[in-house]
Amino acid sequence: MRKKSVCDLARFGGPRLFTRPRSIAQLDAPPVEDYLAVLRESFDARYLSNGGPLVRRLEDRLRDYHQVRHCIAVANAALGLTMLIQLFARGRVGEVIMPAFSYRGLPHFAVWAGQTPRFCDADPVTHGLDPTAVEDCISNATTSILAVCNDNSPGLLNEICSVGERHGIPVIVDSVYGLGATYQGKMLGSIGHAEVYSTHATKLMNGFEGGYITTNDDALADLLRWQRNFALRGLHPASADGDNILGLNAKLNELHAALALLSLDRLGGVIERNKARHDAYRVALASIDGLDLLPHLNEAAERRSYAMAVVGVDAAWPLTRETTMKLLQAEGCLVGAYYSPPLHISWGASPHIQSLHLPVTERLAARYIKMPGGELTSLEDIAEIGTFLEFVRDNHTEISRRLEKAT
Amino acid sequence: MRKKSVCDLARFGGPRLFTRPRSIAQLDAPPVEDYLAVLRESFDARYLSNGGPLVRRLEDRLRDYHQVRHCIAVANAALGLTMLIQLFARGRVGEVIMPAFSYRGLPHFAVWAGQTPRFCDADPVTHGLDPTAVEDCISNATTSILAVCNDNSPGLLNEICSVGERHGIPVIVDSVYGLGATYQGKMLGSIGHAEVYSTHATKLMNGFEGGYITTNDDALADLLRWQRNFALRGLHPASADGDNILGLNAKLNELHAALALLSLDRLGGVIERNKARHDAYRVALASIDGLDLLPHLNEAAERRSYAMAVVGVDAAWPLTRETTMKLLQAEGCLVGAYYSPPLHISWGASPHIQSLHLPVTERLAARYIKMPGGELTSLEDIAEIGTFLEFVRDNHTEISRRLEKAT
């Protein structure tokens, strides 16, 4: 409901702007009848898992989409990253260089793979790894570099790969937010030694859960196919490494592949609607000083998927980011602090890490709000959010006074 | 096709007994319409993953079924075992005591959890861990004991738990083949510190893929629910351990829970049909010396699920196990050597392990064939297999002569 006075704010007991909360998840929904029809076929054939025809078709389609030699479907992107980190460590206990300004799960995956995370500062423009900082982090202990694509830019991937090559260290790219994007004019998928994508329902392509790895390395692709199925002999050609492959159950099954295939057909439309939502945020925030939509770099030359709407909070905005988020959350906007706290602070596993100071990361992590988006957020919703934020700006003194009294 | 002469054997170019191969997988298939109807509800509600209503309902139902305080659904049993081994290690790099006569994946899970497998000999009657041998394996390095239920018997679980208690070492039970079985008159589910089950399509209850953990330990259940969802804060009450929980993506989603719920309703019928197949094997092999169906222990007093038909090959049978398996495989019987080679031989990661001699395990691993079973193997198929094996016995001299010439 539109606000007329400060009492109308949900934070102070007024009715919420959105009764059904508006989330940040993409939630593409292919027609249920299409999905059930595909599923019925698998069901009748009793071929439900373990490299069935739909998984193989999905792998073929994605291989073409990314213009890469191999696509290996996995149960989820987290397992894909863990597998790659483990394989590249080649039995060594070492360090994985990764961004501190990134997703909370990353250091966990390194530890599962027997490695220690080595947090690295961000490049202030792309928000990805700073290649110079990466080079400074390299030591004899380094077993891999994990670069992460952000929604606004894939990052300085060529430069990071050059650092890796110079030191003989493999580069893994977490491209979960790179799906649909180009890098130097070419679809992502063949950067570094391998890239990892997600098909979780909250991501651009909806396969309920799931993920996949892309690579141009034939030998690596063989190892991954073997590893994802318990490293069982017989299903894949024997390798010289034999039993040294550490197996797990990371297979994708037909249920997920069926939906991902339908969602892949719809990717163009999803990205178009994301772009429209992005434009709507730009319009909604145009007249609000101190709140800026994070722009996508090289928009003219490159393709982007606009999966996220991220807003930066500057000094000209009269409230703190945290207060602003609480006001929005109370209204039913499921906003979040964008990569905050940063990993070198939240992980804090050792005194060494706790004393790290990563100035760019810390500045970025203090600044951004991830706004509602995806298929369940309409253009009208975004206009309402803009109006709401104007109301907050116009009444910030009164709001601050009330909040102070409340605490 | 029924064999009239040795030339009719598929091994020698004759037509196969079964055109469609008969597998060892259970493959229960609830009516597709029921499944699609449940799925449509989830789809319409756009609640597909992350602890949805069907996963919660499945957890409640299984908690009641196993008469245990907690059921935590996970993406697969392998991840469930890995999570438990990792949690019980409490950050230490140590050893997990596990059977050498068991499933190929087990040592892999220990290594993912930062531990080394310590292989232990089997009890000759139950084929599970020998409690005395377990006690001999315990050292300062031991972080957990992993007992595994077999189809013929859950094993000497009380005795193993007593050893664990005496030394303050947690006991995990891999109960994948214990579903549907009782132990000392009570449904399995609350033995040791936690049990792990599978809902893979090949197992007794079909949820496509998936698994779950049962435990009576409230604190452990909290940690597991937290761990399976990236150890993200906010979704679960903060614990003193905080960020020391190593997270991963091991969530079960609604697609799998929907089918597992339907299959759970059918468990009684599945077990009845398994029992009928088991009885048919007993009849089919009754007149064949040297081939014996592995009996289920305490059948009169305990419930069993009869998920497997395992046949022991003795000296009275005129061919080796390996030759017999090859003849059966050629006919379209997807038989396998039951837990062979044993893990201390196949794993062979270190000279220490390679020089291990586990006499009971080695004797068992040389003896058994896992026969076709599950919903796609009929009672008539089993009678045909019996007739085929009689034919092989009656013509073994000629078969051996031909095989010798062929090599």
Side-chain angles (χ1 to χ4, degrees):
Chain A
M1 225 173 91
R2 197 66 70 86
K3 310 295 173 186
K4 293 204 174 65
S5 86
V6 170
C7 317
D8 292 340
L9 294 182
R11 179 71 181 75
F12 302 127
R16 295 199 299 182
L17 193 59
F18 303 115
T19 318
R20 173 181 58 73
R22 300 300 194 268
S23 90
I24 55 167
Q26 185 74 56
L27 293 173
D28 173 43
V32 62
E33 298 307 331
D34 293 359
Y35 178 62
L36 298 182
V38 179
L39 212 56
R40 183 190 299 270
E41 276 179 52
S42 307
F43 210 89
D44 290 345
R46 293 211 197 185
Y47 204 147
L48 305 172
S49 183
N50 299 21
L54 294 174
V55 166
R56 291 197 303 270
R57 199 189 308 164
L58 179 67
E59 290 180 336
D60 288 350
R61 290 276 312 273
L62 290 169
R63 212 183 47 203
D64 294 348
Y65 180 82
H66 289 287
Q67 302 165 39
V68 66
R69 287 177 61 79
H70 301 279
C71 169
I72 300 100
V74 288
N76 59 61
L79 289 175
L81 289 168
T82 307
M83 288 161 70
L84 287 166
I85 295 170
Q86 196 274 335
L87 283 174
F88 286 133
R90 298 182 179 277
R92 293 169 58 205
V93 174
E95 291 182 353
V96 180
I97 296 172
M98 61 174 66
F101 184 62
S102 193
Y103 176 63
R104 174 71 191 276
L106 297 184
H108 295 253
F109 311 152
V111 174
W112 280 112
Q115 310 300 301
T116 302
R118 174 81 187 241
F119 299 113
C120 181
D121 209 356
D123 163 60
V125 180
T126 63
H127 300 181
L129 282 175
D130 172 348
T132 311
V134 169
E135 192 143 28
D136 290 344
C137 284
I138 287 179
S139 74
N140 285 337
T142 312
T143 53
S144 60
I145 298 166
L146 174 58
V148 182
C149 294
N150 288 310
D151 186 52
N152 60 315
S153 164
L156 299 170
L157 296 177
N158 271 357
E159 291 80 352
I160 295 165
C161 289
S162 296
V163 172
E165 262 166 50
R166 243 191 333 272
H167 296 270
I169 293 171
V171 174
I172 303 163
V173 187
D174 176 338
S175 300
V176 167
Y177 285 105
L179 182 61
T182 54
Y183 181 65
Q184 304 190 334
K186 187 176 175 305
M187 289 307 285
L188 280 166
S190 49
I191 309 285
H193 287 65
E195 294 186 33
V196 178
Y197 292 85
S198 169
T199 54
H200 191 271
T202 55
K203 302 303 187 298
L204 200 67
M205 184 181 3
N206 180 0
F208 297 110
E209 295 232 19
Y212 58 96
I213 300 168
T214 59
T215 182
N216 279 324
D217 183 332
D218 299 349
L220 177 64
D222 265 357
L223 291 180
L224 290 164
R225 292 199 178 96
W226 199 7
Q227 184 179 39
R228 74 175 164 183
N229 189 26
F230 297 111
L232 288 177
R233 267 183 201 293
L235 298 177
H236 295 289
S239 121
D241 286 330
D243 274 333
N244 294 325
I245 294 298
L246 198 58
L248 75 173
N249 182 355
K251 301 187 297 289
L252 188 74
N253 63 43
E254 299 290 281
L255 294 180
H256 300 101
L259 191 69
L261 276 165
L262 292 170
S263 190
L264 178 54
D265 286 335
R266 299 159 48 91
L267 220 49
V270 170
I271 293 172
E272 249 173 58
R273 289 189 292 279
N274 280 351
K275 177 79 169 66
R277 279 184 282 265
H278 202 262
D279 291 341
Y281 268 113
R282 196 175 300 158
V283 170
L285 300 174
S287 66
I288 306 180
D289 281 347
L291 292 184
D292 295 302
L293 188 65
L294 178 64
H296 286 68
L297 298 177
N298 305 325
E299 270 187 296
E302 304 277 10
R303 290 164 66 174
R304 295 287 176 259
S305 69
Y306 302 94
M308 273 191 206
V310 174
V311 169
V313 180
D314 293 327
W317 177 252
L319 298 172
T320 66
R321 175 179 71 167
E322 276 54 39
T323 299
T324 311
M325 287 202 303
K326 277 188 190 140
L327 293 172
L328 284 163
Q329 282 158 350
E331 302 295 340
C333 291
L334 300 182
V335 299
Y338 183 62
Y339 298 139
S340 172
L343 297 178
H344 65 298
I345 290 169
S346 68
W347 181 254
S350 74
H352 161 71
I353 292 177
Q354 280 171 326
S355 67
L356 258 186
H357 176 48
L358 302 176
V360 179
T361 296
E362 286 160 33
R363 185 160 50 77
L364 294 174
R367 184 171 182 203
Y368 292 103
I369 302 177
K370 199 157 45 173
M371 300 294 286
E375 303 292 37
L376 299 184
T377 301
S378 69
L379 301 182
E380 293 71 32
D381 293 342
I382 294 167
E384 285 293 341
I385 292 170
T387 307
F388 172 79
L389 289 168
E390 283 170 359
F391 178 87
V392 168
R393 177 200 55 200
D394 297 343
N395 295 276
H396 72 89
T397 319
E398 166 81 0
I399 292 170
S400 296
R401 200 184 52 75
R402 282 196 181 225
L403 283 172
E404 215 160 297
K405 269 176 68 182
T407 53
Chain B
M1 228 175 87
R2 197 66 71 86
K3 310 296 174 185
K4 292 205 174 65
S5 85
V6 170
C7 317
D8 292 342
L9 294 182
R11 180 72 181 74
F12 302 127
R16 295 199 300 183
L17 193 61
F18 302 116
T19 319
R20 174 181 59 72
R22 300 300 194 269
S23 90
I24 55 165
Q26 184 74 54
L27 293 172
D28 174 42
V32 61
E33 298 307 332
D34 292 0
Y35 178 62
L36 298 181
V38 179
L39 212 56
R40 183 190 301 271
E41 275 180 52
S42 307
F43 210 89
D44 289 346
R46 294 213 197 182
Y47 204 147
L48 304 173
S49 183
N50 298 20
L54 294 175
V55 166
R56 291 199 302 271
R57 199 189 309 163
L58 179 67
E59 289 180 336
D60 287 351
R61 289 276 311 275
L62 289 169
R63 212 183 47 203
D64 293 348
Y65 180 82
H66 289 287
Q67 302 165 37
V68 66
R69 286 178 62 80
H70 301 279
C71 168
I72 301 100
V74 288
N76 59 60
L79 290 175
L81 288 169
T82 308
M83 289 160 69
L84 287 167
I85 294 171
Q86 196 273 337
L87 284 173
F88 286 133
R90 298 181 179 277
R92 293 169 57 205
V93 174
E95 291 182 351
V96 180
I97 296 173
M98 60 175 66
F101 184 63
S102 192
Y103 176 63
R104 174 70 191 277
L106 296 184
H108 295 253
F109 311 152
V111 174
W112 280 112
Q115 309 300 302
T116 303
R118 173 80 185 242
F119 299 113
C120 182
D121 210 356
D123 163 58
V125 179
T126 62
H127 301 181
L129 282 174
D130 171 350
T132 311
V134 169
E135 191 141 29
D136 289 345
C137 285
I138 287 179
S139 74
N140 285 336
T142 311
T143 53
S144 60
I145 297 166
L146 173 57
V148 182
C149 295
N150 287 310
D151 185 52
N152 60 313
S153 163
L156 300 168
L157 297 177
N158 270 357
E159 290 80 352
I160 296 165
C161 288
S162 295
V163 172
E165 262 166 51
R166 239 185 344 264
H167 295 269
I169 294 172
V171 174
I172 303 162
V173 187
D174 175 339
S175 300
V176 168
Y177 286 106
L179 181 61
T182 53
Y183 181 65
Q184 304 190 334
K186 184 173 175 309
M187 288 309 284
L188 279 166
S190 49
I191 309 285
H193 288 65
E195 295 185 35
V196 178
Y197 292 85
S198 170
T199 54
H200 191 272
T202 55
K203 301 304 187 297
L204 199 69
M205 183 181 3
N206 181 359
F208 297 108
E209 296 232 21
Y212 57 95
I213 299 168
T214 57
T215 182
N216 278 324
D217 182 333
D218 299 350
L220 177 64
D222 265 358
L223 290 180
L224 289 165
R225 291 198 178 95
W226 198 7
Q227 184 179 39
R228 72 175 166 185
N229 190 27
F230 298 109
L232 289 176
R233 269 183 200 293
L235 299 177
H236 295 288
S239 120
D241 286 329
D243 274 337
N244 293 326
I245 293 298
L246 198 57
L248 75 174
N249 181 353
K251 301 187 296 291
L252 189 73
N253 63 43
E254 299 291 281
L255 294 181
H256 299 102
L259 192 68
L261 277 165
L262 292 171
S263 191
L264 178 54
D265 286 334
R266 297 158 50 90
L267 221 48
V270 169
I271 292 173
E272 249 173 57
R273 289 189 292 279
N274 280 351
K275 177 79 168 67
R277 278 184 283 266
H278 202 261
D279 291 342
Y281 268 113
R282 196 177 296 159
V283 170
L285 299 174
S287 65
I288 305 180
D289 281 349
L291 292 185
D292 295 302
L293 189 65
L294 178 64
H296 288 67
L297 298 176
N298 306 325
E299 271 187 295
E302 304 278 10
R303 288 164 66 173
R304 295 286 175 260
S305 69
Y306 302 93
M308 272 191 209
V310 174
V311 169
V313 180
D314 293 327
W317 177 251
L319 298 172
T320 65
R321 175 179 71 166
E322 275 54 40
T323 299
T324 311
M325 287 202 303
K326 275 185 191 142
L327 293 172
L328 283 163
Q329 281 158 352
E331 301 295 340
C333 291
L334 299 182
V335 299
Y338 182 63
Y339 299 138
S340 171
L343 297 176
H344 66 298
I345 290 170
S346 68
W347 181 253
S350 73
H352 162 70
I353 291 176
Q354 281 171 326
S355 67
L356 257 186
H357 176 50
L358 303 175
V360 178
T361 296
E362 286 161 34
R363 187 160 49 77
L364 294 174
R367 184 172 180 199
Y368 292 104
I369 302 177
K370 200 160 42 175
M371 300 295 286
E375 302 292 39
L376 298 184
T377 300
S378 69
L379 301 183
E380 293 71 30
D381 293 342
I382 294 168
E384 284 293 340
I385 291 171
T387 307
F388 173 79
L389 289 168
E390 282 170 359
F391 178 86
V392 167
R393 176 198 57 198
D394 297 343
N395 296 276
H396 73 89
T397 318
E398 167 81 0
I399 292 169
S400 297
R401 198 183 54 74
R402 282 196 182 227
L403 285 171
E404 216 161 293
K405 268 173 70 180
T407 54

